[in-house]
Amino acid sequence: MRIIAGKLKAKKINGPKTEKTRPTLDRVKEALFSILSPYIKDANVLDLFSGTGNLGIESISRGAKFAWLNDKEISTIISNIKLTKLENCVKITRKDYTKCLIQIQNENLCFDIIFLDPPYESQMAIHTLEYISNSKVGEILSKDGVIVYETDKNFMQKKNIDILDDFENLQCFDKRSYGNVILMLYKWR
């Protein structure tokens, strides 16, 4: 795995230790960050299901100022942060995603970009989108912020799961497919 662009361009980072963690493919990551380019400068980023820290590190490399990286297994994240020397601009937590969201609310933090890339077979991203939709504007997600939800087309079809375009206070403003990967971007209504 490597960082694609920015100040850490071509820096190699550690891949996942288990097959359960599936990092975002380089071609998908390149397309995603092209879409996110208007949002990235000086952004606060939350990667709620961080895996390797790949998306948070790429964000900082491209100009984000802070990344909160959360996952239930953080050893690869920690090693990648040490490799990239980003200790001063990240926060790493090892929490269940709902507890992480509650902590964020308790600390009155909000993010400009939120990445949701949980295990495909889970409903965790849908629950997170519902949770954020039921919060207030500027609470968890900034007023002009964006949420990126990555999922798998084949899994969704196989399980007959509908991907929701809209939630009570969030709307999908961009949806793209890259092979089996679907990226959906949400913002406040």
Side-chain angles (χ1 to χ4, degrees):
M1 287 180 48
R2 67 185 176 89
I3 303 304
I4 295 174
K7 65 185 179 187
L8 297 170
K9 182 178 180 176
K11 177 77 174 170
K12 290 186 179 182
I13 59 173
N14 298 314
K17 291 185 177 180
T18 71
E19 290 185 21
K20 288 183 178 182
T21 302
R22 139 210 57 63
T24 301
L25 300 170
D26 280 358
R27 66 184 176 89
V28 176
K29 189 166 62 165
E30 185 69 52
L32 171 60
F33 279 93
S34 178
I35 298 165
L36 292 177
S37 62
Y39 302 92
I40 202 81
K41 181 142 175 59
D42 295 325
N44 288 319
V45 174
L46 171 63
D47 191 355
L48 195 56
F49 308 95
S50 192
T52 62
N54 179 22
L55 294 176
I57 294 168
E58 186 78 38
S59 297
I60 292 171
S61 180
R62 291 173 182 249
K65 66 180 175 184
F66 172 77
W68 183 320
L69 309 174
N70 180 73
D71 206 284
K72 286 190 169 187
E73 191 351 87
I74 59 172
S75 62
T76 305
I77 298 169
I78 291 169
S79 69
N80 284 333
I81 294 306
K82 287 179 182 175
L83 270 174
T84 55
K85 298 177 173 59
L86 295 178
E87 295 91 345
N88 292 331
C89 48
V90 300
K91 178 174 185 166
I92 301 169
T93 52
R94 182 182 178 194
K95 294 182 177 279
D96 173 81
Y97 73 102
T98 54
K99 290 180 179 170
C100 185
L101 290 168
I102 291 167
Q103 181 180 348
I104 288 166
Q105 283 183 299
N106 289 341
E107 293 183 18
N108 294 317
L109 298 175
C110 72
F111 294 90
D112 305 298
I113 301 170
I114 299 175
F115 294 107
L116 303 178
D117 185 11
Y120 288 155
E121 68 275 2
S122 77
Q123 292 287 307
M124 292 185 278
I126 300 297
H127 296 154
T128 301
L129 286 161
E130 289 170 346
Y131 188 95
I132 294 170
S133 178
N134 291 324
S135 68
K136 297 174 185 161
V137 174
E139 183 180 73
I140 305 173
L141 179 65
S142 67
K143 180 179 176 258
D144 297 318
V146 60
I147 300 171
V148 179
Y149 171 28
E150 180 179 331
T151 191
D152 180 80
K153 186 186 326 179
N154 290 337
F155 174 77
M156 301 303 273
Q157 290 171 347
K158 181 175 147 186
K159 295 290 186 178
N160 201 24
I161 298 171
D162 288 329
I163 302 173
L164 303 175
D165 287 345
D166 295 311
F167 293 83
E168 185 174 342
N169 296 307
L170 294 173
Q171 65 181 5
C172 180
F173 69 95
D174 198 344
K175 184 177 186 178
R176 301 185 188 201
S177 294
Y178 302 91
N180 291 332
V181 175
I182 299 173
L183 294 178
M184 297 183 68
L185 283 76
Y186 295 85
K187 64 181 179 180
W188 292 109
R189 288 188 178 279

